[in-house]
Amino acid sequence: MRHILSVLLENESGALARVVGLFAQRGYNIDSLTVAATEDPTISRLTLVTRGDDQVIEQITKQLHKLIEVVKLADLSESAHIERELMMVKVKTTAEQREEVKRCADIFRGQIIDITASTYTIQVVGTSDKLEAFIQALNGTQILETVRSGVSGISRGERTLSL
Amino acid sequence: MTSQNTQPELLSGGAMLIRALADEGVEYVYGYPGGAVLHIYDAMFQQHQVKHVLVRHEQAATHMADAYARASGKAGVVLVTSGPGATNAVTGIATAYMDSIPMVVICGQVMSHLIGDDAFQETDMLGISRPIVKHNMSVRRPEDIPYLVKKAFYIAQSGRPGPVVLDIPKDMTIPSQKFPYDYPKDIKLRSYNPNAKGHPGQIKKALATLLAAKRPVLYAGGGVILGRASDELTVLARKLNLPVTNTLMGLGAYPASDPQFIGMLGMHGTYEANQVMHNADVIFAVGARFDDRVTNATKKFCPDATIIHIDIDPASISKTINAHIPIVGLVKPVLQEMLHQLEKNKGELDQDALGNWWHQIQQWREVHGGRYDTSPSHLKPQAVIEAVHRHTKGDAYVTSDVGQHQMFAAQYYKFDKPNRWINSGGLGTMGFGLPAAMGVKLHYPEAEVVCVTGEGSIQMNIQELSTCKQYGLGVKIINLNNGYLGMVKQWQDMNYDSRYSSSYMDSLPDFVQLAEAYGHVGIRVTKAEELEPALERAFALKDKLVFLDIHVDPTEHVYPMQIPGGAMNEMFLSKTERT
Ligand SMILES: Cc1ncc(C[n+]2csc(CCOP(=O)(O)OP(=O)(O)O)c2C)c(N)n1
Ligand SMILES: [Mg+2]
């Protein structure tokens, strides 16, 4: 099962290395990981997508809790939540492909954010599934580069993960 | 807090470090000097509260600190230089980590502006130690040193204890740069709250389960010793008439001479302890972690048992074996609460069922009963341990190395008190025994301290005989010399048709002469009748280090031994018998 863990971490050097090291050391998966300071500059938020059965996920959350710099964490997948990921795709476009690529981007509510004579750069935001689907939809177009931000997530409604 | 009219004293980073250790109550620091810590060593020289013990290899410093912590419950302190000094300490840090031992390791580091340049004696000690510490930190500003020392001790000693590394770049300790010194009294971290007392509802459920049990067992581990909860454990076990087994790390948590004690469990546990576990309907695990050397194959582990598990570390609960009634908390307050609830609720034990259970246990006790073969030509290692037990009246601190001798010590030295059995259970570090004995002897000079070792292990830190001379550490070394890396040989006998690939130690030194060369007393024992007089003489030489080189049967194996891949109760009982 895929889980999205949201972790509040002391914004100290070494804290991120400790989290990443834990996953490597204990053989847990990381599908994606994003980290940035929050509105409180002493706290970072790390969002991590991992996979495992219930027992593995339980161990991961317990082991994360044990790290001294981890202040709080939540498994967003346990309740209603919203997830978003940003992707930028640079594709090679011949004159006759342009219309088709533009149409495809529109369907996925993507935006063309840069153009050259031979390329389009498209930005798409959504769930990871949607981004995958977009890449599939570009089938036939030559992709030069994809850049993905990794998943961010937030709980729906009143529920928050904050201090 | 400093009072308003007294100015805080101005101290250099190095002096603040030493003063902070003194304020923390540290008496001894074990270490070895080098470039990056010279300012600190100079500050050390200029005061007399904190004493320094100069080892001969940094690994020994870590084991000394570790063993002091195991005996006293307080964090041991290590001071090493950057680069090779720090890397030499790594094995000792890992040893402490695996057994949850509180320790503070202060490592020098190159000057801040050189970090990352591959400077002389620079290693990324924070990176190297990260997977084997409870926490590590580096000093960025000299004025933070008192706070960081406090934090290091707080983290090392609270909750599930463990080693903490403090990395100090050389420019943090410059003698001419002084700062106001103020040692914090308390510390609070928003991200770390280690004092769980256990959920009262869970405790109630656990007690009800134990009262209803027909075939219960109490399985107690190192957490009881670390948590200073032996008294509570003993009272509760007696009130509930529970058979008690201790792990390798828990020996002494429950008195071995008590009739309710059924011995150690696991790979080299007693027949009865492993049978009791396998057949139990309720397993009450206290400060134990269902290690693979205990459970044998987890799929076949104790099929009928409801498992109650008390541990301060939630990650230890349901990690390998699912717990039905988990209780996250320090063992001492949890057991106190159990005793308190037991007092109030006056639940009835199922005396008939327990009577049958004890009857069954008695029968199991008779199956193997710790017997071992005797030999007309060779001294048996088991007999040596039994003799040491007699000569020390069962009251010594016993440290050990790793191998067959360690298991014989665990099986045949019957520990009645906690904190007396000091061994590397989790990492299994050969070379631990001698420095460990030194760490204990330094702090308990009146106590008898015995190091049970093998001719393989002792050579991993033999240089410390020199440190023993310098500080007058009169430990007794029982070298169970079988001329082999015996535990390796045993596995080769059992699994590799006795092909002794590199398990024979050729060209051993003359240990008696070696001990004497270091200024100690050496005694060799090769025949059974020499043992008693040798022990007599060794223990009469009160303040002397005596190295007893005791030649034991090279063919001996450790039994019982669980059969790999089997259930807990599947064991070899001797070279020719199995369950
Ligand atoms: C540092 C280290 N290296 C290797 C091992 C693997 N090992 C475990 S027991 C053992 C043999 C120990 O021999 P000895 O000290 O003579 O003890 P004996 O088993 O003969 O009693 C070895 C090599 C270890 N535990 N630690
Ligand atoms: Mg040997």
Side-chain angles (χ1 to χ4, degrees):
Chain A
M1 249 282 274
R2 176 176 177 270
H3 289 253
I4 304 174
L5 305 180
S6 186
V7 183
L8 294 178
L9 199 64
E10 294 288 355
N11 190 359
E12 287 170 4
S13 80
L16 178 60
R18 238 182 274 285
V19 172
V20 176
L22 174 77
F23 277 73
Q25 188 191 332
R26 296 190 182 263
Y28 305 140
N29 297 306
I30 299 182
D31 282 2
S32 84
L33 179 132
T34 70
V35 60
T38 61
E39 74 283 5
D40 172 353
T42 67
I43 294 281
S44 312
R45 181 185 305 267
L46 184 146
T47 311
L48 197 148
V49 179
T50 185
R51 273 166 214 284
D53 59 26
D54 289 352
Q55 208 214 338
V56 169
I57 299 300
E58 186 181 324
Q59 262 300 309
I60 291 176
T61 56
K62 284 171 166 181
Q63 294 291 352
L64 279 171
H65 259 303
K66 264 175 83 169
L67 299 179
I68 305 290
E69 286 124 338
V70 168
V71 188
K72 269 188 174 179
L73 73 90
D75 182 350
L76 296 179
S77 331
E78 277 179 351
S79 57
H81 65 280
I82 299 160
E83 67 168 282
R84 288 290 181 270
E85 186 174 0
L86 180 145
M87 176 169 69
M88 292 180 281
V89 190
K90 193 177 286 179
V91 292
K92 199 167 188 81
T93 44
T94 54
E96 54 275 21
Q97 281 176 320
R98 295 206 155 196
E99 200 41 41
E100 173 61 19
V101 170
K102 170 86 174 67
R103 221 165 50 81
C104 187
D106 285 344
I107 292 170
F108 282 84
R109 298 200 193 164
Q111 290 165 284
I112 295 169
I113 55 174
D114 190 37
I115 314 184
T116 68
S118 60
T119 67
Y120 264 6
T121 302
I122 310 144
Q123 168 189 300
V124 189
V125 174
T127 63
S128 302
D129 284 350
K130 175 173 157 183
L131 305 192
E132 302 289 347
F134 181 65
I135 290 174
Q136 295 296 317
L138 286 176
N139 189 15
T141 316
Q142 188 190 349
I143 296 176
L144 297 172
E145 194 177 9
T146 62
V147 178
R148 293 171 69 152
S149 64
V151 173
S152 295
I154 196 163
S155 295
R156 280 191 183 277
E158 307 272 296
R159 188 193 287 263
T160 60
L161 180 72
S162 53
L163 292 194
Chain B
M1 291 294 274
T2 343
S3 67
Q4 273 150 347
N5 44 14
T6 55
Q7 289 291 323
E9 207 177 334
L10 293 179
L11 297 175
S12 72
M16 282 200 287
L17 174 66
I18 305 298
R19 179 69 65 82
L21 294 178
D23 284 346
E24 195 59 45
V26 173
E27 198 184 348
Y28 289 104
V29 170
Y30 317 90
Y32 210 92
V37 286
L38 286 180
H39 297 327
I40 299 172
Y41 271 86
D42 195 53
M44 178 89 74
F45 191 84
Q46 297 182 43
Q47 54 82 55
H48 298 287
Q49 257 181 299
V50 179
K51 294 181 274 276
H52 183 263
V53 175
L54 178 68
V55 292
R56 302 299 181 260
H57 185 294
E58 288 87 350
Q59 184 187 349
T62 57
H63 294 329
M64 282 187 83
D66 169 316
Y68 160 67
R70 290 179 202 242
S72 72
K74 285 187 257 164
V77 183
V78 175
L79 174 58
V80 293
T81 193
S82 66
T87 55
N88 271 353
V90 166
T91 300
I93 297 169
T95 302
Y97 179 69
M98 287 297 280
D99 290 341
S100 309
I101 304 304
M103 184 155 101
V104 173
V105 181
I106 298 158
C107 297
Q109 184 52 281
V110 299
M111 305 240 237
S112 311
H113 71 274
L114 293 175
I115 291 179
D117 290 356
D118 301 314
F120 177 62
Q121 296 196 328
E122 179 189 356
T123 51
D124 173 13
M125 191 52 185
L126 294 177
I128 288 174
S129 65
R130 195 174 291 126
I132 52 166
V133 291
K134 182 167 175 189
H135 196 55
N136 61 18
M137 302 176 282
S138 77
V139 177
R140 296 290 166 79
R141 304 182 314 163
E143 54 268 43
D144 293 341
I145 287 177
Y147 171 77
L148 290 175
V149 170
K150 184 81 201 172
K151 185 171 166 185
F153 276 90
Y154 171 58
I155 292 173
Q157 295 178 333
S158 54
R160 179 176 183 176
V164 175
V165 164
L166 187 58
D167 200 49
I168 309 187
K170 187 168 185 180
D171 52 322
M172 298 295 114
T173 56
I174 297 170
S176 59
Q177 296 181 4
K178 299 191 175 179
F179 305 87
Y181 173 81
D182 188 11
Y183 196 62
K185 277 209 172 52
D186 304 301
I187 190 164
K188 248 192 127 105
L189 301 174
R190 62 181 168 183
S191 59
Y192 176 65
N193 178 19
N195 292 322
K197 287 208 303 252
H199 190 280
Q202 290 291 93
I203 294 175
K204 190 169 168 202
K205 218 159 119 189
L207 201 55
T209 306
L210 279 167
L211 286 167
K214 297 188 185 315
R215 300 184 312 279
V217 60
L218 172 49
Y219 149 49
V224 177
I225 292 175
L226 292 164
R228 310 230 140 220
S230 292
D231 290 346
E232 290 80 0
L233 183 91
T234 306
V235 173
L236 188 65
R238 288 189 181 142
K239 285 206 156 126
L240 296 174
N241 193 13
L242 300 170
V244 185
T245 177
N246 285 339
T247 67
L248 179 67
M249 296 310 300
L251 292 176
Y254 190 84
S257 59
D258 187 280
Q260 279 172 239
F261 188 61
I262 55 172
M264 181 170 80
L265 81 171
M267 181 174 277
H268 292 297
T270 65
Y271 177 82
E272 52 271 30
N274 287 340
Q275 282 289 12
V276 166
M277 285 291 288
H278 185 80
N279 291 285
D281 68 343
V282 176
I283 293 177
F284 181 28
V286 185
R289 62 186 180 93
F290 297 87
D291 175 85
D292 53 286
R293 294 279 146 135
V294 160
T295 58
N296 214 4
T298 49
K299 284 209 170 64
K300 300 178 185 167
F301 180 77
C302 306
D304 303 329
T306 299
I307 292 170
I308 304 165
H309 191 177
I310 307 175
D311 207 293
I312 184 60
D313 179 5
S316 281
I317 296 178
S318 300
K319 182 168 66 180
T320 56
I321 299 290
N322 191 46
H324 305 94
I325 308 177
I327 302 172
V328 177
L330 294 163
V331 285
K332 197 178 181 85
V334 172
L335 292 177
Q336 281 167 342
E337 173 64 19
M338 285 186 101
L339 284 167
H340 178 71
Q341 289 192 11
L342 189 63
E343 204 69 8
K344 281 191 313 192
N345 107 343
K346 298 266 177 264
E348 284 293 308
L349 291 171
D350 187 342
Q351 295 297 357
D352 282 352
L354 283 175
N356 288 337
W357 184 225
W358 274 110
H359 181 70
Q360 168 69 73
I361 292 170
Q362 203 46 47
Q363 287 177 335
W364 284 329
R365 273 179 166 155
E366 282 154 24
V367 173
H368 182 261
R371 71 183 133 86
Y372 54 91
D373 298 333
T374 51
S375 152
S377 52
H378 286 293
L379 248 172
K380 285 285 174 179
Q382 300 93 327
V384 177
I385 302 295
E386 287 175 334
V388 171
H389 183 268
R390 270 198 315 280
H391 280 264
T392 55
K393 302 182 179 63
D395 202 30
Y397 288 89
V398 178
T399 74
S400 94
D401 271 298
V402 176
Q404 292 182 318
H405 62 272
Q406 173 192 27
M407 291 302 126
F408 292 134
Q411 291 173 330
Y412 292 92
Y413 197 100
K414 307 285 179 193
F415 292 93
D416 276 340
K417 292 180 189 166
N419 308 90
R420 292 300 172 105
W421 166 238
I422 291 174
N423 87 130
S424 165
L427 198 67
T429 309
M430 289 171 69
F432 178 79
L434 175 56
M438 292 157 59
V440 178
K441 187 68 182 174
L442 189 68
H443 287 271
Y444 301 96
E446 298 307 317
E448 204 64 82
V449 181
V450 176
C451 166
V452 175
T453 184
E455 80 299 327
S457 296
I458 190 68
Q459 293 189 79
M460 287 219 177
N461 270 317
I462 191 94
Q463 76 286 345
E464 296 308 317
L465 287 174
S466 172
T467 311
C468 290
K469 185 67 187 169
Q470 182 173 353
Y471 297 94
L473 301 175
V475 304
K476 308 297 183 235
I477 297 171
I478 305 290
N479 186 35
L480 294 180
N481 188 343
N482 52 9
Y484 282 97
L485 301 177
M487 190 55 98
V488 173
K489 175 178 174 284
Q490 174 166 350
W491 283 61
Q492 290 171 335
D493 281 331
M494 298 172 84
N495 304 315
Y496 301 92
D497 290 327
S498 299
R499 288 186 296 279
Y500 299 143
S501 181
S502 292
S503 55
Y504 178 62
M505 277 251 171
D506 222 346
S507 60
L508 287 173
D510 179 328
F511 287 108
V512 171
Q513 279 190 35
L514 186 67
E516 285 169 0
Y518 277 107
H520 305 300
V521 178
I523 304 176
R524 184 162 11 254
V525 175
T526 55
K527 298 194 200 75
E529 61 270 23
E530 294 168 354
L531 181 64
E532 285 297 319
L535 290 174
E536 198 74 49
R537 196 180 139 214
F539 288 109
L541 289 168
K542 265 271 156 244
D543 301 324
K544 288 270 186 199
L545 185 150
V546 183
F547 193 115
L548 288 132
D549 182 34
I550 306 177
H551 291 216
V552 294
D553 189 348
T555 66
E556 189 54 289
H557 285 179
V558 183
Y559 294 109
M561 179 170 178
Q562 281 175 334
I563 298 168
M568 277 216 72
N569 64 344
E570 295 179 63
M571 286 164 271
F572 297 110
L573 298 177
S574 72
K575 283 183 183 168
T576 53
E577 301 158 276
R578 52 164 295 171
T579 51

